[in-house]
Amino acid sequence: MSAIPADLCSLEDYQHRAQTLLPADIWAYISGASMDGFTQQRNRSQLDTLLLQQRILVDGLGQGDCRTELFGQTLTLPLLIAPLAYQKLAHPMGELASVQAAAAQGVGFCLSTLASSTLEEVAQIAPDTARWFQLYCQPDPDDTLNLIRRAEAAGYRALVVTADAPINGVRNAEQRSGFRLPDTVAAVNLQGLPKPEAGDSVFACWMQQAPNWNTLAEIIRQTHLPVILKGVMHPADAQQAVELGVQGIIVSNHGGRVLDSQPSTIEVLPAIRRSVPAEIPVLLDSGIRRGSDIFKALASGADAVLLGRSVFYALAVAGPFGVAHILRILRDELEATMALCGCARLADIKSSSLYLPLSASI
């Protein structure tokens, strides 16, 4: 970590530094949100409204740790790098840098269908830990099945099906900046596949080809990998997914990049956790910036969280060393929060670890 400047102490520090380094159009793509950004802002503001309940003189904290297990794989802390498209926009190594950092820090890694490195390249350097592949369903089911088979053959350990983005959000910041992918960056895992057919409306162009519950059921039938559904924001959708055979849920609003004016993920998490069996892992993304945010998510019912935009910022600032550094920052912050709240293990983190005003408990 000697390459890291001493004044980079938090994920926000990396964000500020990255903005000075990235071209304006790439910054708009990475940091932007849908429409007016209300969902993106709410993801943060609602996490900030949750207060922690400190406990003192708790015995046994000297033997504490924040390790966890997901689908039979041990993680140093309950954290995965979220599936982020086109990471070479931030650094020439792209996804290869991020997966190296994840391996070094013992966290999970989820590769996007829209990665700028092939899933086989990433698998070759990824350790046999939590290595997941995120799937965007393709218009031709055979192309979707081919992606699944490639992921299975490369040794990915779970399949993350993203359901909340059948179309892109209306991203005004990108539009104003004139963002276009540079010639050096592409969705290499989709090379050779046909482009979506043109149409004169969202419905005619995109929604006729959008996946549905039958699509998800067929994916579950076709793979031996555990299928995790990403983009769940309603308890009824979580229940239906589990009934179909989904083995994990990711509560996500895509970081506010798709549908604006949604609730935050931390707001809907408790109801979704209650709606599915206890043995089904429930994860959360969107808005995580501190180790204390991870603690709040676990206290609200999550089993783990995923980290998104901050990975881009760290890549832009310091490549794989930057990503490894922010992951270590989050671990240190989570452990400090656990210790000060009297929690030696993740299992000790309960809803009672959050402060509830007396007036709210009456």
Side-chain angles (χ1 to χ4, degrees):
M1 297 295 180
S2 58
I4 304 299
D7 61 341
L8 294 176
C9 303
S10 70
L11 274 61
E12 185 176 4
D13 292 337
Y14 273 93
Q15 180 175 343
H16 293 321
R17 184 68 57 84
Q19 188 171 9
T20 69
L21 299 173
L22 289 167
D25 63 329
I26 293 178
W27 174 260
Y29 169 78
I30 293 172
S31 64
S34 178
M35 295 190 181
D36 296 304
F38 293 137
T39 298
Q40 182 188 45
Q41 296 163 26
R42 194 171 183 89
N43 282 331
R44 273 303 327 156
S45 64
Q46 291 301 304
L47 273 166
D48 290 339
T49 64
L50 294 179
L51 303 179
L52 303 175
Q53 181 65 71
Q54 185 172 13
R55 301 302 301 271
I56 60 174
L57 304 178
V58 177
D59 193 21
L61 293 178
Q63 290 73 49
D65 67 65
C66 59
R67 288 177 295 180
T68 193
E69 188 173 290
L70 280 175
F71 300 103
Q73 299 164 287
T74 300
L75 303 178
T76 302
L77 68 160
L79 176 68
L80 298 94
I81 291 179
L84 302 169
Y86 309 123
Q87 292 183 38
K88 287 185 180 180
L89 287 172
H91 189 275
M93 288 181 65
E95 293 80 7
L96 301 181
S98 296
V99 76
Q100 286 180 351
Q105 294 298 322
V107 308
F109 178 85
C110 187
L111 182 74
S112 171
T113 291
L114 302 179
S116 47
S117 305
T118 69
L119 59 91
E120 290 83 5
E121 287 178 297
V122 172
Q124 285 177 359
I125 67 168
D128 189 24
T129 56
R131 184 171 66 249
W132 299 357
F133 179 68
Q134 176 267 340
L135 178 68
Y136 279 122
C137 296
Q138 302 303 301
D140 186 335
D142 288 339
D143 293 332
T144 300
L145 182 58
N146 181 54
L147 286 170
I148 294 172
R149 294 290 177 257
R150 286 175 62 190
E152 292 171 339
Y156 287 83
R157 304 292 293 270
L159 196 64
V160 176
V161 178
T162 295
D164 66 334
I167 59 173
N168 283 332
V170 180
R171 300 176 191 166
N172 296 149
E174 284 181 39
Q175 295 167 342
R176 296 185 190 105
S177 73
F179 173 77
R180 296 289 185 275
L181 280 176
D183 293 338
T184 55
V185 178
V188 295
N189 291 300
L190 300 181
Q191 284 182 341
L193 299 188
K195 302 294 183 182
E197 296 181 6
D200 64 357
S201 74
V202 167
F203 300 103
C205 182
W206 297 102
M207 299 313 293
Q208 288 185 8
Q209 306 173 71
N212 54 35
W213 289 110
N214 291 332
T215 310
L216 179 63
E218 181 63 13
I219 289 170
I220 294 169
R221 191 182 71 81
Q222 288 284 355
T223 185
H224 66 272
L225 297 175
V227 173
I228 302 163
L229 187 63
K230 182 176 183 290
V232 179
M233 290 291 290
H234 195 287
D237 289 338
Q239 289 175 328
Q240 186 163 353
V242 172
E243 290 170 3
L244 281 179
V246 159
Q247 297 183 44
I249 296 291
I250 300 178
V251 178
S252 172
N253 56 32
H254 227 94
R257 294 173 66 82
V258 178
L259 176 63
D260 202 14
S261 295
Q262 287 196 82
S264 67
T265 52
I266 199 70
E267 287 177 282
V268 303
L269 171 62
I272 291 175
R273 173 69 276 178
R274 292 191 298 267
S275 72
V276 299
E279 65 270 16
I280 299 294
V282 175
L283 288 73
L284 174 141
D285 71 15
S286 304
I288 299 297
R289 295 293 181 272
R290 287 282 189 183
S292 54
D293 296 334
I294 302 175
F295 185 97
K296 292 173 183 180
L298 269 60
S300 301
D303 295 282
V305 303
L306 295 95
L307 183 69
R309 287 181 179 89
S310 294
V311 174
F312 263 119
Y313 303 147
L315 275 175
V317 173
F321 296 103
V323 179
H325 187 218
I326 64 168
L327 298 176
R328 181 61 200 228
I329 287 173
L330 289 173
R331 176 183 167 183
D332 291 344
E333 291 177 348
L334 173 60
E335 290 185 348
T337 304
M338 290 173 62
L340 293 170
C341 291
C343 299
R345 300 283 188 273
L346 298 184
D348 298 332
I349 303 175
K350 310 287 187 182
S351 59
S352 57
S353 302
L354 300 177
Y355 170 72
L356 186 64
L358 182 60
S359 60
S361 63
I362 295 176

